[in-house]
Amino acid sequence: MSNHLSDRIKNMSTSATLAMAAKARELRNQGKDIIGLSLGEPDFNIPDFIKDAAKQAIDDNYSSYSPVDGYADLKQAISNKFKRDNNLDYGVQQIVVSTGAKQSLANVAMVMINKGDEVILPAPFWVSYSDIVKIAEGIPVQVPTSIDTDFKMTPEQLEKAITPKTKMLWFSSPCNPSGSVYSRAELEGLAKVLQKHPDIYVVSDEIYEHINFVGGHVSIAGIEGMYERTITVNGVSKAFAMTGWRIGYIGAAEWIAKGCTKFQGQVTSGANAIGQRATIAALEAPVSKIKHMIDEFHQRRDMLLELLGEIDGFKLNVPEGAFYVFPDISSFFGKTLNGTTIGNASDFALYLLENANVATVTGEAFGNPNCIRISYAASEKELREAVARIKSVV
Ligand code: PMP
Ligand code: GLU
């Protein structure tokens, strides 16, 4: 009966990150010693003070539906967080809490995009942007960047990609998958172009904001002319290692927030109550409470860059945030390794999985066919072993 699925779902790709993680899990269940570096999922435990808040919420009987857009005190905590960390003024009526930042993004797409609207995605982009835009009947317009520009889109490239049909620009900084962080000057350059096009909206995905090794994070909403048209997306999955709790949120113009609440009211009724209560504790805590995780990611990045740098054919940028490296491995294309011909990045990722038992993700899923993504949300021991295995098969 699978041919009776809607065209919408038939035309959609499976999330490559989740698919690779599932494949790694399956191989592990078959007894293979797979090192999983495919999923962007912190390997730390949730800090105890957040767990305690969740346990308290259960005892306090937070068991009913919450308001669709989130508990009022959580939205206040988010409003305070936006002010404290980003110097952004989002009132509680401008905030919507959702089932992970992924749903926040899906809400925004459904609420903002009309059929045929173009959405500019500087590539590489996070794997789900393209399909979320397509579900909303928008047209993803990829703007390719390369390792030579640290995978960042220039103002000239943005200008060139804009057409009368452009509705939005979506990007993440720190970027998944490249780890690139846009500086204030770079964001101002993009904003300058957008100022000439007042009808273009921006989705600024800041979920890796705290996993940033260059000091300050800059929100594009704080740049002149950008506040009204920017939807700032964030969540607790990455900085607080709360991936499974599924809490994300947006700050945006009130009419956009209202649209997202209306949509969410029909599809999920809102995010889970216990996760919301725990998120209050997470966001009210000083950032120093998660510094140990950020320091650890920083050390692993340095180690991984050093180790991968020793492998011939791996070309690397220096990711300034998030927890991924995105090596350009195109020098292997056309070569035959242990009897396998490597035609593209997907072949290379599959080769590593089958020959080195290391799971990565092909760059094709992120709109860059020359690279693979390696997540370093894994222990130092696993990372060292993974690189040694990769080295031995290439
Ligand atoms: N945006 C980016 C750039 C991500 O890497 C992720 C990771 N899942 C998300 C959004 C979604 O995060 P979540 O739904 O877990 O909050
Ligand atoms: N954001 C993570 C990643 O890119 C989690 C997986 C997902 O949500 O797709 O690997």
Side-chain angles (χ1 to χ4, degrees), residues 143-161:
V143 177
T145 69
S146 81
I147 196 162
D148 302 319
T149 54
D150 191 23
F151 298 110
K152 289 179 197 164
M153 178 174 69
T154 62
E156 295 71 36
Q157 285 180 301
L158 173 60
E159 181 92 70
K160 248 175 110 180

Side-chain angles (χ1 to χ4, degrees), residues 17-18 39-41 98-105 125-129 132 171-177 205-208 233-238 242-249 322-324 366 373:
T17 46
L18 300 182
L39 201 56
E41 167 148 77
S98 301
T99 304
K102 200 180 253 182
Q103 196 209 341
S104 300
L105 291 162
F125 47 83
W126 181 47
V127 64
S128 293
Y129 290 174
I132 290 176
F171 76 108
S172 62
S173 176
C175 174
N176 179 0
D205 182 344
E206 304 185 10
I207 198 158
Y208 294 96
V233 177
N234 211 322
V236 289
S237 282
K238 311 295 166 169
M242 290 169 69
T243 46
W245 294 55
R246 313 302 308 123
I247 300 289
Y249 54 88
F323 35 65
Y324 309 102
F366 305 92
R373 190 189 77 173

